[in-house]
Amino acid sequence: MSSPGTATTSGSAKASRTARERARAELTSEIKAEARRQLVMHGAQQLSLRAVARELGMASSAIYRYFPSRDDLLTALIIDAYDALGEAAEAADRAIGRADVRGRWLATCGAVRGWAIAQPHEYALIYGTPVPGYQAPQDTVAPAARVAFVIGSILAEAWAGDAARMNRSEPRPVPPMLAEQADLVADAIAPGLPAAVISRALVAWTQLFGMISFELFDQFKGTVDPADEFFAYTVELMADFVGLPSAGP
Amino acid sequence: MSSPGTATTSGSAKASRTARERARAELTSEIKAEARRQLVMHGAQQLSLRAVARELGMASSAIYRYFPSRDDLLTALIIDAYDALGEAAEAADRAIGRADVRGRWLATCGAVRGWAIAQPHEYALIYGTPVPGYQAPQDTVAPAARVAFVIGSILAEAWAGDAARMNRSEPRPVPPMLAEQADLVADAIAPGLPAAVISRALVAWTQLFGMISFELFDQFKGTVDPADEFFAYTVELMADFVGLPSAGP
DNA sequence: TGTACATCAGTGAACGCGCGTTCACTGATGTAC
DNA sequence: TGTACATCAGTGAACGCGCGTTCACTGATGTAC
């Protein structure tokens, strides 16, 4: 581990050291980019190190300088995908005025769908059938939670700022164990939200991803095939469902 | 094509002819059963004719007497899975009194989840990421629609029998193209239902499968991990959401 | 600034494996007279 | 009922292919004095 703070290393020495390191970083992301391209053609399960190497014009064994195994490459792709989706959701939320909680909800849901449609194979990588035999390591957990975190923040702020207008009295009592689980979710993601609201948010969450998966995985053929209007309409209904107020500030 | 009506074929001749045919039918389903077992271990993409043959103690080439190619075997498995799931949904619905539409809804949703949990890999085969390069033939369409048909029937009968209590005035107008799509769905599956109810049913439909997929594909880790209560609660909320009356007859 | 050494990237051959599909064949089962 | 022929199930070898991973190696880049 070379300490970056060593005063004796001159500027040019630093630059030349980063030359190697930069080459490494560049090739690392070229490998990932090529692997992503292969996802499109063959899916995660058939991701082949040899094919990636071939396409990059290098020996297949060279890949092992960058990823110790096929599964590690897969993990890197999964983390990148979660991060890209999380980034898209966060950016969409950020672009709307804080007080317009419904607008933020609509924008976030739209961004998730937009990202998924733009890179369906990366979406499938994280929300489709898990690759058999592959065990996601702990590093994927935090990136995976980013979208949920955005949604949680919106609801928490809506609740804090506009609680009077959000439906405080859930007519259907939340069963005890679900209430416990919901409280844990609230603690992690949306402090202060009651279990009933969290439960509804979980319903909306599963609905959002269910709808997107159906659209991408061709289950809408013959029903709501161009799904744009269905999506827009549904997202409004779900905003009502979780109790978001109708208008902005 | 030997005509079954030929009077000259004696009973015993018929029986011996079916002896061969029965052997064929039996091996066909043994192949499918073994293939299903392989799904569990390796997923649809890695389904291997050679492995199936090996496990059955026969030459790999012998499989070709039963299925002309790997994709045809896959298609057979997909159709069987849709049929089994449809059967489960229909049986659950059938077991409840016709007038208890909410009970039928709950039972049907529960049966879908139960079937999915009992054979997660067959569920993944039909509702997970599509196998890249595989094109589902037309024969899968009808079996795939069976669950939707059950749900449609329940709603149509609820509407016909109890229309006054189902929410007739949707506060949110259905956009024009979605209304058209919904009417087509209604024609096929739930005659008489207005577009607003169909739209909500589509939301509930995507929610149901989204929730099940999340449960099976490990997205609930750390949130609603034993998902039983969440599922039961959600199905009630969704029954409310589509406008089903609270009590039985 | 120049030299000696250590680190790292990339090579190419090899190991041992599995796959889908085809083909000419043997032997059993079914059919027609 | 018995014989001649046609159909079908199953075999085993082969074709041509791709895979992940290891290993000893060459040569370039970086580092310490």
Side-chain angles (χ1 to χ4, degrees), chain B residues 4 28 39 42 65-66 83 87 94 101 106 109-110 119 129 131 147 149 159 168 170 177 206 209 215 240:
Chain B
T28 303
L39 283 188
H42 309 104
R65 298 278 168 216
Y66 296 86
D83 271 327
E87 191 66 43
R94 226 183 288 124
V101 284
L106 302 181
C109 292
Q119 26 271 317
T129 321
V131 179
V147 171
F149 199 81
W159 181 255
R168 271 184 176 283
E170 168 67 49
M177 190 180 185
T206 53
F209 284 94
E215 181 175 4
D240 298 342

Side-chain angles (χ1 to χ4, degrees), chain A residues 144-157:
Chain A
R146 287 173 71 172
V147 170
F149 199 81
V150 173
I151 293 180
S153 304
I154 294 171
L155 291 179
E157 289 167 38

Side-chain angles (χ1 to χ4, degrees), chain B residues 2 16-26:
Chain B
S2 50
S16 73
R17 195 188 55 177
T18 25
R20 182 128 99 177
E21 282 184 343
R22 257 202 302 201
R24 170 167 255 278
E26 233 168 73

